């Protein structure tokens, strides 16, 4: 087995870009309106314990990915059945992200281009990246991360004249209920989606602390997410944020400084494509890894192309229109993803701990 | 063998760039006709919209010349009218560079949302387009002046609107701002008014005054002075002038004060179970013009001038508020929104009653004027014998 390695820094960047993914552009918790930034903070708090579970699982079984862990913890047969869940989830998630990109291009950037086309190209490039391996993804994110941060930073400077702090008031006008609800939305989309990194971080160098990588990624994302959500609200106002499909894009399109710096929303589209690419690639990688482990293939690379095309096709047929997509993303997804994100990991960890205590499992060492 | 396959693959990749360049719907600039401004009227029968666009026709030559041209087409909805227009104009209309949208009074009276929705939803139009209401009978005649004056009238109007910050003749409203106002609770929308004025021998559009809305329907107008007071209350004055009548020996002559800076704070206060609004206005001005010889520059004169200017400001603002409360009963000042922001608890109780309550709400105005300088001269002009 060839062992690919990513450094802890690359791991953090990969994790952050993955979380920025498509959701920042669709707006974090639009339902919370002008309190979305509080919801983002609460979502982060909610994610703290679950991320501890993921990191604990990974550090118990260093160098193993989730499918190995399932096999060890549940045994061969049951482990493979549970593994099916972790093959389906990234496949579906990747398709959703590809679809987000397609809808984005179709509604905002290129309305007359068939949606399949940008989706197909995103599929191709992700297939290529996954064929090249996790190491390449790690290095990619090291290059992309500064680009994303710089674009966010510059656009933040440029929207300063448009900030209207009156948009923040009144704080928590509708009470804490809707905010908690939105916090939970943010928890499931994107924070707890990092459950997929159970399949990726087996490639982390063994001496790095997985807790540190996970939590650094979470905090970097939380900082960016809260900042951008605040920005959206301050510029657009809570009411508008809750009705437009891509608030960040609309916000940056307002920038018009001296009739000279204007129409720079393409920069946001760039970051959208970059982070989507990372997210799709991670999803595709985990799916392929799962399938190869399920059937005992020697190498996951032989099935990347098929799985990738399948993902694009699934993305193409999964929703009728953008209204379906928004409805699914904000109303249903949080509950749909709960088993994959919380219930299964908790069960796995509990059983693993019991069996380790009982001395039935040997951990921490690589073969 | 290996190098040939490498070269071949490079050629293949390069060949792909030919097909992948740009977007799917590739359009050359000379196949498009640029729309500079939009005017929306109701047809005479009242069941159709008349969409007028001012287009920019660029003639190339030694020097490129821009000509204004208007097209008016009827349609059941705006998109319908736009489609009908495409079949007339030949080239496809391209809306992304449209700068202004003018609504006729009839359209505004019927409800602005009906037309605003298409303007906002349409992905090609940008949300920073300026929205105006025509005080003339139709909206299209505003744009039609362009062909007579060799100017792209929409672009001129856009520049006038961008200058409003420093002249305070009309409230500037970009589309997204208007949507915020229409949707926000505790605030009603206003739009700038545009009318035609004869300047020398030419007829030009002039932006002065305010169209007052209640919900999304036009209910009335404010004149230029009232508009300035409205902008004072909304903290949107950043320039402009105050004209003060002289008093005492100097009665009959006037003093102009140039507004340098203005800050307005709305403070809702609760008094015996009723909400009252206190408006604090801090204005910095410069003496820019003194008719006559009265000394307004030394301290006693200056204080007198400050005092009388404050007085007249207070009076005129109170008048506007009263006029709006009694005549239109529409919260264009955003008092309700301010109450919601500062006293959310109280707002929850009175939100549903606000429509009735607004006209009885007590408002106190506290202007504070500071004279900063007297422009280039330190003394009034003297008239010798």
């Amino acid at each position: 087995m060839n062992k690919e390695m990513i450094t802890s820094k690359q791991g953090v960047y990969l994790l952050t870009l993955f979380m920025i993914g498509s959701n920042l552009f669709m707006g974090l918790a639009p339902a919370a309106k002008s309190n979305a930034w509080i919801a983002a903070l609460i979502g982060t708090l909610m994610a703290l314990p679950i991320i501890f579970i993921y990191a604990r699982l990974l550090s118990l079984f260093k160098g193993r990915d989730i499918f190995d862990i399932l096999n060890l913890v549940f045994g061969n047969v049951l482990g493979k059945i549970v593994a099916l869940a972790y093959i389906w989830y990234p496949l579906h998630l990747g398709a959703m992200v590809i679809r987000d990109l397609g809808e984005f291009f179709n509604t905002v950037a290129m309305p007359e281009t068939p949606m399949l086309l940008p989706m197909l190209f995103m599929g191709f490039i992700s297939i290529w990246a996954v064929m090249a391996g996790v190491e390449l993804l790690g290095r990619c994110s090291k290059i992309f991360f500064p680009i994303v941060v710089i674009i966010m930073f510059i656009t933040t400077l440029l929207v300063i004249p448009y900030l209207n702090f009156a948009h923040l008031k009144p704080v928590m006008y509708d009470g804490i209920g809707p905010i908690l609800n939105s916090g939970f939305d943010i928890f499931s989309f994107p924070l707890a989606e990092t459950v997929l990194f159970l399949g990726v971080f087996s490639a982390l160098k063994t001496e790095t602390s997985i807790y540190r990588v996970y939590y650094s990624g979470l905090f970097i994302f939380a900082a960016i997410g809260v900042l951008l959500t605040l920005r959206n609200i301050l510029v657009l106002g809570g009411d508008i944020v809750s009705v437009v499909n891509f608030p960040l894009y609309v916000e940056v399109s307002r920038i018009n400084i001296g009739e000279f710096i204007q129409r720079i929303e393409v920069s946001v589209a760039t970051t959208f494509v970059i982070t989507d690419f990372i997210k799709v690639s991670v999803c595709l990688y985990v799916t392929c890894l799962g399938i190869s482990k399920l059937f005992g293939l020697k190498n996951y690379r032989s099935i990347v192309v098929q799985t990738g095309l399948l993902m694009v096709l699934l993305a193409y047929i999964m929703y009728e229109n953008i209204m379906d997509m928004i409805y699914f993303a904000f109303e249903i997804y949080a509950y749909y993803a709960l088993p994959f994100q919380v219930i299964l990991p908790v069960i796995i960890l509990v059983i693993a701990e019991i069996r380790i205590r009982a001395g039935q499992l040997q951990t921490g060492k690589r073969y | 063998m290996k190098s040939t396959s490498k070269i071949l693959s490079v050629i293949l990749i390069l060949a792909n760039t030919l097909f992948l360049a740009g977007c799917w719907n590739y359009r050359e600039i000379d196949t498009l006709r640029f729309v500079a401004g939009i005017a929306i009227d109701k047809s005479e029968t009242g069941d159709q919209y008349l969409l007028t666009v001012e287009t920019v026709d660029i003639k190339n030559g030694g020097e490129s010349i821009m000509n204004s041209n208007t097209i008016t087409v009827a349609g059941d909805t705006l998109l319908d009218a736009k489609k009908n227009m495409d079949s007339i104009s030949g080239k496809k209309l391209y809306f992304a560079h449209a700068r202004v949208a003018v609504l006729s009074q009839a359209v505004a009276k019927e409800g602005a949302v009906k037309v605003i929705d298409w303007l906002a939803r349409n992905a090609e139009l940008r949300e920073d387009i300026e929205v105006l209401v025509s005080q003339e009978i139709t909206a299209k005649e505003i744009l039609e002046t362009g062909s007579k004056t060799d100017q792209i009238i929409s672009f001129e109007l856009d520049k006038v609107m961008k200058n409003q910050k420093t002249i305070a003749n009309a409230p500037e409203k970009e589309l997204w701002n208007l949507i915020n106002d229409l949707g926000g609770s505790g605030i009603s929308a206003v739009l700038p008014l545009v009318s035609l004025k004869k300047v020398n021998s030419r007829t030009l559009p002039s932006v002065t005054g305010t169209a007052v809305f209640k919900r999304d329907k036009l209910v009335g107008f404010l004149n230029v002075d009232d508009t300035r007071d409205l902008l004072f209350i909304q903290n949107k004055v950043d320039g402009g002038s105050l004209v003060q009548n002289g008093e005492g020996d100097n009665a009959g002559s006037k003093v102009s004060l140039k507004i340098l800076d203005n800050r307005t704070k709305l403070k809702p206060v609760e008094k015996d179970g009723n909400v009252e609004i206190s408006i604090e206005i801090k204005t910095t001005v410069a003496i820019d013009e003194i008719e006559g010889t009265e000394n307004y520059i030394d301290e006693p004169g200056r204080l007198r001038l400050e005092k009388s200017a404050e007085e007249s400001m207070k009076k005129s603002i109170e008048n506007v508020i009263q006029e709006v409360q009694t005549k239109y009963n529409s919260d264009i000042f955003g008092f309700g929104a301010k109450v919601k922001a500062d006293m959310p608890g109280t707002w929850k109780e009175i939100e549903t009653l606000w429509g009735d309550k607004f006209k009885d709400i007590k408002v106190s105005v506290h202007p504070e004027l500071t004279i900063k300088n007297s422009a280039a001269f330190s003394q009034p002009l003297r008239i010798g014998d």
Side-chain angles (χ1 to χ4, degrees), chain A residues 15-286:
Chain A
L15 196 65
T16 314
L17 290 178
F18 175 88
M19 285 194 269
I20 292 174
S22 58
N23 54 81
L24 260 192
F25 305 94
M26 293 171 71
L28 283 177
K33 292 191 176 173
S34 59
N35 297 313
W37 63 283
I38 305 177
L41 284 176
I42 291 179
T44 312
L45 283 181
M46 287 179 180
L48 289 178
I50 198 71
I51 287 213
F52 176 81
I53 292 177
Y54 303 157
R56 171 88 187 151
L57 263 178
L58 277 171
S59 59
L60 275 181
F61 302 93
K62 274 213 159 164
R64 310 246 175 98
D65 57 53
I66 174 128
F67 304 102
D68 296 337
I69 298 175
L70 286 174
N71 252 353
L72 279 172
V73 174
F74 290 126
N76 222 342
V77 179
L78 194 60
K80 282 198 166 148
I81 292 170
V82 180
L84 280 176
Y86 284 101
I87 292 166
W88 164 250
Y89 179 57
L91 182 72
H92 185 210
L93 180 64
M96 275 169 60
V97 175
I98 294 181
R99 180 64 181 236
D100 288 348
L101 183 97
E103 291 288 355
F104 176 75
F105 272 96
N106 209 341
T107 38
V108 206
M110 308 174 189
E112 282 164 43
T113 310
M115 202 200 303
L116 187 59
L117 218 70
M119 285 173 16
L120 207 56
F121 280 103
M122 179 51 84
F124 284 154
I125 199 160
S126 298
I127 290 170
W128 184 11
V130 173
M131 291 279 261
V134 196
E135 247 182 67
L136 176 123
L137 279 180
R139 286 199 298 268
C140 268
S141 51
K142 204 171 176 186
I143 297 170
F144 287 149
F145 184 74
I147 297 179
V148 171
V149 169
I150 287 169
I151 289 177
M152 296 298 173
F153 181 72
I154 291 177
T155 50
T156 305
L157 285 186
L158 291 176
V159 296
I160 287 177
Y162 298 87
L163 300 183
N164 180 356
F165 285 90
H167 285 317
L168 281 186
K169 289 209 277 187
V171 177
M172 293 206 260
Y173 180 67
D174 295 321
I176 190 87
I179 299 177
L180 285 179
N181 230 330
S182 304
F184 178 55
D185 282 349
I186 293 172
F187 164 79
S188 67
F189 174 51
L191 297 175
E193 280 171 359
T194 51
V195 67
L196 294 187
F197 278 76
L198 290 176
V200 178
F201 279 167
S202 55
L204 269 183
K205 286 193 171 141
T206 28
E207 67 270 23
T208 53
S209 156
I210 285 169
Y211 295 99
R212 237 174 97 188
V213 173
Y214 249 120
Y215 281 108
S216 316
L218 177 67
F219 289 135
I220 294 176
F221 171 77
I224 294 178
V226 171
L227 178 79
L228 289 187
T229 312
L230 259 179
R231 230 177 76 181
N232 277 342
I233 297 163
L234 289 176
V235 175
L236 298 174
D239 290 330
I240 297 259
V241 169
S242 64
V243 294
V244 294
N245 285 336
F246 300 102
L248 196 68
Y249 189 81
V250 175
E251 180 207 332
V252 174
S253 72
R254 295 270 165 85
I255 295 175
N256 180 356
I257 296 187
E259 299 284 325
F260 180 65
I261 302 176
Q262 53 170 323
R263 317 206 164 186
I264 54 171
E265 55 267 37
V266 165
S267 67
V268 171
T270 313
T271 57
F272 190 55
V273 173
I274 288 176
T275 52
D276 255 17
F277 158 67
I278 295 285
K279 195 158 182 175
V280 172
S281 303
V282 169
C283 291
L284 185 58
Y285 172 76
V286 177

